[in-house]
DNA sequence: TATTCCTGCCAC
DNA sequence: AAACGTGGCAGGAATA
């Protein structure tokens, strides 16, 4: 029992079956142990349960005790210990622990951390940094909004002498001495170092620091060499967190607290300088130690180090530029079209309500019941493509519902949402691009109050326009993934089709259905033939691991027919099947697959697991749920293995090509729009010449060559995204549609 | 009230 | 009784 806990003694032997009066009497003299028993018998949430246990432990260890103010009521009699009081104590405990952590941080601060608050200290630091080949940098800020927040200090590490500096510039603590503008212009004094290409820079989540330096101080960082956050995505794409502190705790065995664990919600500008130094300089220290650890491990495996230094790192500055550039939105069009859509949605809504009753059409749960009542049979879900579409002919109300869905999606995700994101500072909307956002190495986009540039629908694209005097130019890799499948599998029929410049799917279909090529390509009206469409579905979905069931659904044929189709397909194109088998066998043996000539890995630990046997007929029984999950994780890894090799290689091709294209962008004074997987989009000037287009074509097709297959690109030019003319037509003199 | 999960759907 | 890979966002429902 804690020494500072003053409570009546426990009475463990007291009879539990008491009269009401006795119970009342007992309650008023409840011991702390009884109180805990009562509290833990309550229905507590998992978090509360955990917090209560922490408080109990802390009280028993004498770390914390009841507040006298909580112990007695107005009459001065002892109050029972309540759950609410316990949870109040938890908050106190947290604060106490926070202070302890801070004290520990400051007390244990190494002596190679230096606070820079005087001119002489500052110039000593600059002199030391200027001699370095490699420095760590990190800016401390008032927040994470790169357009509005301010830099309050600079972390800089001289790595060769293992010295970590903190230069506070904007801490609102007084009275303290710090180097602020007017006394010594820290930004201008540091600019030569930040902008010196020959001093290599390391940072954790460098894009943020680069953008803060640019937006707040107008500094263009040069010589960015290593980002420990991005490197970690290469070293382990399955890592649960890429924040510095968890990585340091895990890989450097340095038990590091997060910002929140140390400072809670307080801004860094309010932290006193001694504490700020201990925290900030440690970031520089940890980042450098993480760099050494990462470099060692990347160098051990294939060409990963080379790929990281020559592709991922140079790409980072391009990505930062893309985010800061942003997009010009045609707000007039957005407003007009949104209004039109709202009217249509209203009509569709009313039509549906008439038949289904007054329900919330956005609620799948309510909708399901109402539809079932209306059509007189049960449905699996309210999925448009699989469930509702087949019902639309029979029940007109379903058509209205589908129209309502389509319009409200367009409004809520695009036409209403995007104009609201216009940044008052830039007048544009800004995306966020994560260059290893997908585990295969693809980009992902969005998050943090931004939007996803990569899933703009055809309609939504029309909001995006080129500024006066510019074009939006799209260059896509023609059949990028199929060329990669051809290259990785070396399947002759595919290689031959690409070599002859004929359509790959039609060629496969021609062989498969034993019909002339022309009859498998296009119909007289220009549509795809059913043979070509089917072949496309079979090839791509089989690559992604579709079973006969999935295939039967997408092709609209029976399961047996689908299986027959699949079998014949893989019998005919044996090398495609062999590629899949080989990828899966490799993953099963090694727990990962290589991507792009050992540039990176996709780690699939589940691939190594042994399937668990489930007795016949018991597959869906409750008792085998764990086995079922175990096996489906293995199956998933097996589907991922070949697909990751294809998607991952495509991502590398796009990235390498971006780096080459960036040279042209800079030389011509163009700007970046975005990468969209197999499509690269630029803002060019509207004097775009035949030579410019030839240069783009050359870079798209020659920057990353595939084994045995040529690359091809389709280029299109527009002022409003999606309303394009092909490069071919443009060169013949066809006008680019006006906005 | 704020956070997390689920359903559905946009992109490649 | 599920059955195709990689993502992100909106809105409702469930949970804390």
């Amino acid at each position: 029992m804690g020494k500072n806990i003053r409570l009546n003694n426990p009475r463990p032997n007291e009879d539990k079956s008491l009269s009401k009066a006795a119970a009342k009497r007992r309650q008023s003299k409840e011991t702390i142990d009884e109180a805990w028993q009562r509290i833990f018998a309550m229905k507590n949430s998992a978090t509360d349960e955990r917090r209560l246990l922490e408080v109990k432990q802390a009280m028993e260890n004498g770390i914390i005790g009841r507040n006298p103010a909580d112990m007695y009521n107005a009459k001065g009699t002892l109050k029972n210990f309540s759950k609410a009081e316990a949870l109040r104590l938890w908050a106190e405990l947290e604060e106490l622990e926070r202070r302890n952590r801070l004290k520990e941080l400051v007390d244990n601060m190494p002596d190679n951390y230096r606070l820079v608050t005087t001119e002489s200290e500052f110039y000593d630091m600059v002199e030391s940094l200027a001699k370095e080949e490699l420095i760590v940098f990190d800016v401390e800020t008032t927040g994470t909004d790169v357009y509005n927040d301010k830099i309050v200090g600079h972390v800089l590490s001289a790595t060769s002498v293992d010295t970590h500096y903190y230069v506070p510039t904007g801490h609102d603590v007084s009275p303290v001495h710090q180097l602020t503008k007017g006394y010594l212009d820290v930004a201008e004094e540091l600019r030569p170092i930040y902008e010196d290409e020959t001093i290599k820079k390391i940072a954790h989540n460098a894009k943020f620091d680069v953008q803060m330096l640019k937006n707040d101080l107008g500094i263009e960082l040069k010589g960015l060499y290593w980002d420990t956050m991005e490197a970690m995505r290469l070293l382990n794409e399955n890592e649960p967190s890429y924040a510095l502190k968890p990585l340091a705790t895990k890989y450097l065995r340095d038990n590091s607290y997060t910002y929140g664990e140390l400072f809670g919600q307080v801004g860094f500008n309010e932290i006193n300088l001694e504490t700020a130094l201990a925290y900030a300089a440690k970031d520089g220290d940890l980042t450098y130690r993480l760099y050494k650890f990462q470099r060692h491990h990347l160098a051990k495996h294939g060409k990963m180090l080379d790929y990281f230094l020559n592709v991922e790192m140079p790409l980072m500055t391009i990505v930062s530029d893309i985010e800061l550039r942003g997009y010009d939105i045609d707000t007039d069009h957005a407003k007009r079209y949104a209004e039109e859509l709202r009217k249509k949605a209203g009509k569709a809504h009313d039509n549906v309500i008439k038949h289904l009753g007054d329900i919330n059409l956005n609620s799948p749960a309510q909708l399901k019941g109402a539809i079932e009542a209306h059509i007189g049979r049960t449905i699996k879900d309210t999925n448009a493509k699989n469930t509702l579409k087949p019902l639309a002919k029979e029940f007109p109300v379903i058509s209205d519902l589908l129209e309502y869905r389509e319009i409200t999606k367009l409004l809520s995700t695009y036409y209403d949402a995007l104009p609201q994101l216009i940044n008052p500072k830039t007048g544009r909307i800004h995306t966020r691009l994560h260059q290893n956002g997908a585990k295969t190495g693809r980009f992902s986009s969005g998050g943090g109050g931004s939007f996803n540039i990569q899933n703009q629908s055809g309609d939504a694209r029309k909001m995006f326009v080129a500024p006066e005097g510019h074009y939006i130019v799209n260059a896509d890799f023609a059949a990028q993934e199929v060329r990669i499948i051809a290259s990785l599998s070396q399947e002759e029929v595919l290689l031959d089709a690409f070599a002859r410049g004929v359509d790959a799917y039609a060629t496969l279909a021609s062989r498969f259905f034993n019909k002339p090529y022309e009859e498998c390509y296009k119909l007289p009206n220009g549509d795809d033939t059913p043979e070509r469409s089917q072949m496309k579905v079979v090839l791509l979905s089989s690559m992604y691991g579709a079973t006969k069931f999935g295939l039967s659904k997408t092709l609209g044929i029976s399961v047996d027919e689908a299986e027959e189709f699949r079998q014949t397909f893989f019998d005919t194109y044996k090398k495609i099947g062999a590629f899949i088998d080989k990828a899966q066998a490799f993953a099963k043996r090694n727990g990962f697959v290589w991507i792009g000539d050992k540039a990176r890995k996709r780690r699939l630990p589940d691939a190594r697991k042994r399937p668990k046997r489930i007795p016949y007929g018991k597959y869906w029984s409750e008792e085998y749920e764990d086995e079922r999950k175990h096996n489906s994780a293995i199956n998933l890894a097996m589907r991922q293995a070949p697909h990751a090799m294809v998607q991952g290689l495509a991502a590398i091709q796009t990235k390498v090509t971006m780096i080459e294209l960036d040279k042209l962008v800079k030389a011509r004074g163009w700007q970046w729009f975005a990468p969209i997987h197999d499509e690269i989009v630029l803002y060019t000037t509207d004097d775009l010449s035949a030579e410019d287009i030839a240069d783009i074509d050359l870079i798209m097709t020659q920057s990353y060559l595939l084994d045995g297959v040529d690359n091809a690109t389709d280029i299109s030019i527009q002022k409003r995204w999606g309303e394009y003319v092909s490069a071919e037509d443009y060169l013949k003199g066809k006008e680019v549609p006006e906005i």
Side-chain angles (χ1 to χ4, degrees):
Chain A
M1 180 76 58
K3 49 186 174 290
N4 55 352
I5 300 169
R6 292 172 297 277
L7 268 174
N8 33 4
N9 291 322
R11 294 179 296 173
N13 299 324
E14 193 168 10
D15 189 354
K16 286 240 166 76
S17 55
L18 294 161
S19 71
K20 265 189 184 172
K24 207 171 178 186
R25 196 170 62 240
R26 186 193 69 114
Q27 244 179 31
S28 65
K29 292 177 184 170
E30 189 185 49
T31 67
I32 190 83
D33 284 350
E34 286 166 343
W36 277 123
Q37 262 184 30
R38 179 173 48 78
I39 291 167
F40 281 115
M42 293 163 73
K43 217 175 152 186
N44 300 311
S45 70
T47 356
D48 282 354
E49 188 84 8
R50 180 174 49 76
R51 290 175 178 182
L52 290 166
L53 278 169
E54 283 173 27
V55 173
K56 184 164 185 278
Q57 189 89 53
M59 286 175 86
E60 286 169 2
N61 293 336
I63 294 163
I64 201 167
R66 293 186 73 182
N67 291 316
D70 281 338
M71 289 175 70
Y72 302 97
N73 61 23
K75 286 181 198 162
T77 50
L78 196 64
K79 283 203 297 191
N80 281 340
F81 185 63
S82 69
K83 178 182 169 183
E85 190 184 343
L87 291 177
R88 278 198 299 277
L89 284 177
W90 181 82
E92 252 178 60
L93 186 63
E94 267 297 291
E95 190 48 43
L96 201 66
E97 283 178 358
R98 207 192 298 287
R99 277 202 293 272
N100 282 339
R101 287 181 201 126
L102 280 176
K103 188 170 182 301
E104 187 192 325
L105 188 73
V106 174
D107 289 349
N108 298 331
M109 188 182 79
D111 58 10
N112 57 344
Y113 291 7
R114 305 278 159 74
L115 187 65
V116 179
T117 56
T118 69
E119 209 167 324
S120 72
E121 285 168 347
F122 184 81
Y123 288 119
D124 283 350
M125 176 191 79
V126 168
E127 195 186 330
S128 159
L129 291 171
K131 282 187 274 188
E132 292 286 332
E133 280 176 31
L134 198 59
I135 66 171
V136 177
F137 79 105
D138 174 32
V139 293
E140 299 298 335
T141 61
T142 52
T144 56
D145 176 349
V146 296
Y147 298 97
N148 293 303
D149 282 309
K150 296 288 170 201
I151 290 174
V152 302
H154 303 253
V155 180
L156 292 152
S157 297
T159 60
S160 73
V161 288
D162 194 27
T163 305
H164 310 277
Y165 299 95
Y166 183 57
V167 191
T169 58
H171 283 251
D172 304 316
V173 285
S174 70
V176 291
H177 185 66
Q178 61 185 306
L179 295 165
T180 50
K181 200 166 175 173
Y183 174 68
L184 185 154
D185 193 336
V186 170
E188 288 316 306
E189 296 289 336
L190 290 180
R191 182 187 297 273
I193 292 173
Y194 279 132
E195 296 189 348
D196 186 340
E197 181 90 47
T198 66
I199 303 176
K200 294 177 185 167
K201 319 287 191 312
I202 305 172
H204 191 76
N205 190 16
K207 198 168 60 178
F208 173 76
D209 301 272
V210 167
Q211 293 180 340
M212 282 302 306
L213 283 171
K214 179 160 186 184
N215 279 354
D216 189 23
L217 304 177
I219 291 173
E220 296 273 353
L221 187 109
K222 300 220 173 65
L224 183 59
Y225 181 69
W226 193 284
D227 185 326
T228 44
M229 185 181 256
E230 219 55 53
M232 205 61 228
R233 292 185 187 272
L234 231 67
L235 278 168
N236 182 15
E237 74 282 3
N238 301 318
E239 192 68 35
S241 166
Y242 292 93
L244 182 60
K245 308 303 185 294
L247 294 179
T249 303
K250 183 169 169 181
Y251 294 106
L252 305 176
R253 294 171 203 286
D254 185 307
N255 223 318
S256 300
Y257 295 112
T258 66
Y259 188 91
E261 285 167 340
L262 291 165
F263 304 113
Q265 300 298 313
V266 181
F268 202 68
N269 50 314
E270 294 173 49
I271 305 303
N272 75 69
L273 300 188
E274 274 304 319
T275 311
L277 168 67
Y279 175 82
K282 188 169 183 179
D283 269 7
D285 191 4
L286 292 176
T287 300
Y288 185 57
R289 284 155 64 194
L290 198 54
Y291 157 74
K292 286 188 285 188
F293 168 87
Q294 292 176 336
R295 192 177 176 109
H296 172 75
H297 285 281
L298 278 180
K300 281 202 306 198
H301 302 291
K303 297 177 183 167
M304 288 176 72
L305 177 63
D306 184 63
Y307 169 75
F308 180 69
L309 287 174
N310 294 310
V311 181
E312 293 293 345
M313 285 313 301
L315 191 62
M316 194 163 283
T317 311
I318 299 173
V319 173
S320 173
D321 286 349
I322 295 174
E323 293 184 354
L324 294 181
R325 167 58 176 78
Y327 305 95
D328 306 274
I329 292 298
D330 182 348
T331 47
D332 287 343
H333 170 257
K335 215 178 264 176
R336 271 200 313 275
Y337 193 52
E339 207 44 57
E340 194 183 311
L341 289 172
R342 243 186 296 281
K343 276 187 198 147
K344 278 192 189 169
K347 271 189 191 166
H349 176 268
D350 294 346
N351 285 342
V352 176
I353 293 298
K354 253 186 266 169
H355 295 95
L356 296 189
D358 192 16
I359 57 166
N360 183 348
L361 298 189
N362 299 324
S363 161
Q366 294 177 36
L367 210 48
K368 183 166 183 286
I371 291 173
E372 286 175 341
H374 180 76
I375 69 175
R377 69 181 101 128
T378 60
I379 51 177
K380 179 176 156 283
D381 51 33
T382 70
N383 180 275
K385 212 160 149 282
N386 301 328
T387 308
L388 299 184
K389 202 93 176 278
L391 294 168
K393 272 205 173 147
E394 198 180 339
F395 303 99
V397 64
I398 302 291
S399 297
D400 287 325
L401 175 61
L402 290 173
E403 192 191 352
Y404 173 83
R405 276 260 180 89
E406 197 182 319
I407 296 170
T408 51
K409 169 81 178 177
L410 198 51
L411 275 172
S412 64
T413 308
Y414 303 107
Y415 271 88
D416 279 341
L418 264 44
Q420 294 195 330
L421 296 177
I422 292 175
N423 187 311
K425 289 244 164 81
T426 66
R428 293 170 174 160
I429 60 173
H430 298 266
T431 188
R432 281 192 196 171
L433 277 166
H434 315 287
Q435 65 189 63
N436 288 292
K439 288 174 170 28
T440 52
R442 260 193 179 187
F443 276 92
S444 73
S445 166
S450 75
F451 75 103
N452 185 347
I453 188 63
Q454 298 183 313
N455 74 341
Q456 297 300 309
S457 66
D459 263 333
R461 287 186 178 200
K462 297 198 191 326
M463 271 187 286
F464 295 74
V465 291
E468 187 68 34
H470 291 76
Y471 288 141
I472 294 170
V473 173
N474 281 43
D476 66 25
F477 291 100
Q480 188 186 34
E481 287 204 357
V482 186
R483 283 174 202 266
I484 286 170
I485 292 167
S487 170
L488 293 177
S489 70
Q490 292 291 305
E491 169 58 52
E492 286 88 356
V493 183
L494 277 176
L495 293 180
D496 183 59
F498 285 121
R500 289 191 293 123
V502 295
D503 184 82
Y505 300 118
T507 306
L508 291 179
S510 166
R511 299 284 182 105
F512 188 85
F513 294 107
N514 200 20
K515 284 185 183 176
Y517 172 84
E518 289 72 22
E519 286 178 32
C520 294
Y521 186 41
K522 297 272 160 121
L523 296 170
N525 69 3
D527 285 356
D528 286 356
T529 61
E531 288 83 359
R532 182 178 187 274
S533 304
Q534 284 200 323
M535 209 27 91
K536 194 171 174 177
V537 169
V538 172
L539 175 66
L540 291 174
S541 59
S542 297
M543 273 305 306
Y544 301 162
T547 62
K548 56 186 176 181
F549 302 99
L551 214 51
S552 91
K553 206 186 241 175
T554 42
L555 288 177
I557 57 179
S558 76
V559 172
D560 285 346
E561 284 170 322
E563 175 58 7
E564 169 110 34
F565 209 132
R566 232 182 120 265
Q567 280 297 333
T568 315
F569 179 86
F570 283 112
D571 284 347
T572 314
Y573 308 115
K574 287 203 165 55
K575 290 204 172 168
I576 295 176
F579 162 69
I580 294 171
D581 292 344
K582 207 175 155 192
Q584 292 179 336
F586 188 92
K588 193 182 166 78
R589 199 164 52 243
N590 300 294
F592 73 93
V593 290
W594 283 111
I595 293 169
D597 197 19
K598 302 197 175 180
R600 65 189 303 149
K601 286 178 178 182
R602 175 72 179 104
R603 293 145 187 94
L604 300 164
D606 288 339
R608 297 181 76 165
K609 289 180 181 163
R610 300 272 300 162
K612 292 201 167 135
R613 220 186 69 79
I614 299 173
Y616 185 77
K618 291 272 188 173
Y619 195 81
W620 292 107
S621 79
E622 196 80 27
E623 56 182 315
Y624 287 98
E625 198 190 337
D626 289 347
E627 285 81 354
R628 206 159 57 232
K629 273 193 183 154
H630 175 92
N631 289 353
S632 73
I634 297 171
N635 292 338
L636 174 61
M638 284 304 167
R639 293 194 296 273
Q640 288 168 317
H643 182 256
M645 294 179 72
V646 176
Q647 193 183 85
L649 183 53
I652 290 174
Q653 182 177 48
T654 299
K655 287 175 173 181
V656 170
T657 306
M658 283 176 74
I659 290 166
E660 295 304 314
L661 257 180
D662 188 57
K663 295 171 189 166
L664 187 67
V665 167
K666 298 245 157 60
R668 297 285 202 278
W670 298 343
Q671 287 178 305
W672 277 91
F673 186 102
I676 305 177
H677 309 306
D678 65 348
E679 184 179 356
I680 297 177
V681 191
L682 305 171
Y683 291 107
T684 72
T685 44
D686 65 359
D687 57 357
L688 192 72
S689 66
E691 195 196 337
D692 292 334
I693 291 171
D695 284 343
I696 295 173
D697 191 302
L698 195 71
I699 292 168
M700 288 294 291
T701 55
Q702 302 304 314
S703 298
Y704 193 91
L705 302 178
L706 301 174
D707 183 15
V709 196
D710 284 341
N711 294 310
T713 183
D714 294 318
I715 298 170
S716 54
I717 298 139
Q718 59 243 284
K719 290 182 177 173
R720 186 188 294 284
W721 200 18
E723 291 181 357
Y724 59 84
V725 293
S726 70
E728 201 186 350
D729 287 345
Y730 174 82
L731 292 175
K732 282 183 199 153
K734 194 166 174 182
E735 291 287 326
V736 180
E738 289 298 325
I739 292 168

